[in-house]
Amino acid sequence: MLKRTKRHILTFALGVGITATTVALYTPSNADSTTKLAPVQAKQLVDKDAIIDALTETPELVGLTGDISKTVRLTDDKWFGDKTYELTLEGTFKLGVATDDVSITTQGNTVIVRLPQPRIIAVDLPFDKAAISKDVGLLRQDLSESELQALYKVAREQAVADVKVNAKAREEAEEAVENALEELIGRLPAVESVEFEN
């Protein structure tokens, strides 16, 4: 019976000692009763206006510059003679997006970009550099300047139509525009990621 009592007293004493020690560890000293906390800095967020300002520095983002070529043929057969003209245009085209059509939203420090489909920004097919070959019968007249201009217009319209339906060119242009925007926006303060939506 005595041993058990001692054990309880010893256990109680140890418990009190641990409690006292615990309290002593967390009790501030009299010398420094105030605790100084480090100031909490607010996380800097993306400035949407800064992104829009950066985009408006250029009116267009060119994603792809490519070569273009188109040949049209005009054949006019009559009983008194034939007339054949072949006109070939060569030049370049540019696909991209207008920065006014780019939509920017932010979620925290993530920038979400919505791009339109790339479109033709420019087509350069100079008329004065067109290659013209002809086979005109003795009794036939050459095409007039206005008729040549009309043939050129047909060739140019067909060349532009070819670019518009070129899916591979559009994909390359879209990828290049996304890369350019990601690099441009990624350099701005507080931007952590850039996401693209269709």
Side-chain angles (χ1 to χ4, degrees), residues 166-184:
N166 190 331
K168 184 178 179 183
R170 284 201 316 270
E171 287 174 10
E172 289 179 12
E174 184 174 0
E175 184 177 352
V177 168
E178 286 182 2
N179 290 340
L181 279 172
E182 188 171 19
E183 184 178 347
L184 173 68

Side-chain angles (χ1 to χ4, degrees), residues 44-54 104-106 108-111 185 188-191:
Q44 183 182 3
L45 295 179
V46 174
D47 185 355
K48 182 179 173 182
D49 291 336
I51 297 172
I52 294 171
D53 288 344
I104 299 289
T105 56
T106 58
N109 286 351
T110 297
V111 179
I185 296 171
L188 297 174
V191 175

Side-chain angles (χ1 to χ4, degrees), residues 41-143:
Q41 285 190 329
K43 186 176 181 181
Q44 183 182 3
L45 295 179
V46 174
D47 185 355
K48 182 179 173 182
D49 291 336
I51 297 172
I52 294 171
D53 288 344
L55 288 179
T56 54
E57 289 179 6
T58 176
E60 297 163 339
L61 295 168
V62 177
L64 178 67
T65 300
D67 296 324
I68 188 172
S69 176
K70 193 66 183 180
T71 299
V72 292
R73 186 181 179 90
L74 172 67
T75 302
D76 185 14
D77 297 335
K78 301 291 185 184
W79 64 269
F80 52 90
D82 300 333
K83 179 164 58 176
T84 301
Y85 271 79
E86 195 171 84
L87 181 143
T88 299
L89 296 178
E90 291 188 353
T92 59
F93 69 90
K94 293 179 180 180
L95 287 177
V97 298
T99 51
D100 287 345
D101 296 332
V102 177
S103 172
I104 299 289
T105 56
T106 58
Q107 289 182 355
N109 286 351
T110 297
V111 179
I112 300 164
V113 182
R114 181 168 291 171
L115 289 175
Q117 286 293 315
R119 61 179 179 82
I120 296 175
I121 291 175
V123 174
D124 184 21
L125 291 165
F127 173 74
D128 59 351
K129 294 184 179 177
I132 300 172
S133 62
K134 61 182 180 177
D135 182 12
V136 180
L138 290 174
L139 299 177
R140 302 298 307 272
Q141 290 184 341
D142 286 338
L143 290 179

